[in-house]
Amino acid sequence: MFDVLIIGGGVSGVSCALILGSAHKKTFAQDKNIAIITHQKASSLQDAIFYNAYGIHSGKLGSEILTETTTQLQENYPHITQIEDEKVISVSGESGSFVVVTNKNRYQTRIIVIGVGSSNLFSIEGLQQYIESHKKSLVEKNRIQLKNNDQKVTDGIYVVGTLAGHRSQLAIAAGSGAAVATDILTLWNNGIETHVHDSVRK
């Protein structure tokens, strides 16, 4: 049983995992079992090159970021399980007891975070009732989002990145994933507002 299963290894999903992973020394998070399905083939970063992203060197390829960030996640927070080469087929259950079925395995999790992009090819069974037209995308692009209130779809299910209705910018996607991570940390911390910072100060 996972406490959180993140679906999607793009910017928003990995950003969420990095923040959750960085909280592992906090008493309310140290025993949490976290996993991420790092399916990246459909990520828009595969074709991206960056000149306008904060903290990213000019000319950086999105495909490099995809590889480097999952490596960063593994090196800094090895307690987070990375599930590679699996695609989610269905989600069922309720908050605290979800079942996520992929093309290879079946997982149980208390919380789900979904960050698989806003393509209208979205096909995860059990979530179709939340699909609506993307409110910030051009109509001709035929993008979708999941209905949500501050990135919460329903109890125990969160959505991040463009699938949450955000525009396609790396900084927005990263912030979206981080925001949901801090919401989950706050939930674990009995509702007390929580975030995680690293610092050089002693």
Side-chain angles (χ1 to χ4, degrees):
M1 170 73 81
F2 294 120
D3 291 285
V4 178
L5 178 59
I6 302 165
I7 300 170
V11 179
S12 57
V14 174
S15 294
C16 183
L18 286 166
I19 298 297
L20 290 176
S22 70
H24 68 285
K25 292 182 180 178
K26 294 185 178 290
T27 55
F28 58 82
Q30 61 187 7
D31 295 326
K32 299 300 184 185
N33 192 7
I34 303 163
I36 178 170
I37 296 176
T38 56
H39 188 74
Q40 299 178 328
K41 291 180 182 177
S43 174
S44 57
L45 258 68
Q46 295 288 5
D47 302 315
I49 185 168
F50 291 97
Y51 294 96
N52 65 350
Y54 182 82
I56 304 294
H57 292 295
S58 292
K60 185 73 171 178
L61 296 176
S63 56
E64 294 174 334
I65 293 174
L66 286 171
T67 301
E68 291 169 2
T69 52
T70 52
T71 299
Q72 175 188 356
L73 181 63
Q74 175 60 40
E75 291 176 349
N76 290 347
Y77 312 115
H79 61 285
I80 293 185
T81 301
Q82 291 193 41
I83 301 167
E84 300 178 352
D85 301 320
E86 293 188 31
K87 186 174 181 180
V88 174
I89 296 171
S90 70
V91 167
S92 60
E94 57 187 23
S95 182
S97 184
F98 291 109
V99 175
V100 175
V101 177
T102 73
N103 58 326
K104 296 180 181 179
N105 289 297
R106 175 186 175 98
Y107 304 99
Q108 290 184 297
T109 184
R110 294 181 174 87
I111 294 173
I112 298 172
V113 178
I114 308 163
V116 294
S118 55
S119 168
N120 64 350
L121 298 177
F122 182 91
S123 60
I124 299 176
E125 293 179 21
L127 297 177
Q128 288 93 339
Q129 69 268 34
Y130 302 113
I131 294 175
E132 62 183 5
S133 296
H134 199 288
K135 295 177 181 177
K136 293 184 178 179
S137 181
L138 295 172
V139 174
E140 56 267 30
K141 289 193 174 181
N142 202 21
R143 298 291 183 184
I144 58 102
Q145 65 180 60
L146 297 186
K147 295 176 186 176
N148 68 89
N149 181 12
D150 193 22
Q151 302 192 146
K152 184 177 181 181
V153 177
T154 189
D155 286 345
I157 300 180
Y158 297 85
V159 61
V160 293
T162 56
L163 192 61
H166 298 299
R167 293 189 177 93
S168 180
Q169 292 284 158
L170 184 141
I172 296 173
S176 169
V180 165
T182 57
D183 286 345
I184 292 170
L185 293 176
T186 298
L187 180 68
W188 289 345
N189 196 24
N190 294 317
I192 300 171
E193 194 278 326
T194 303
H195 49 265
V196 185
H197 296 302
D198 296 319
S199 175
V200 295
R201 290 183 294 180
K202 304 218 176 186

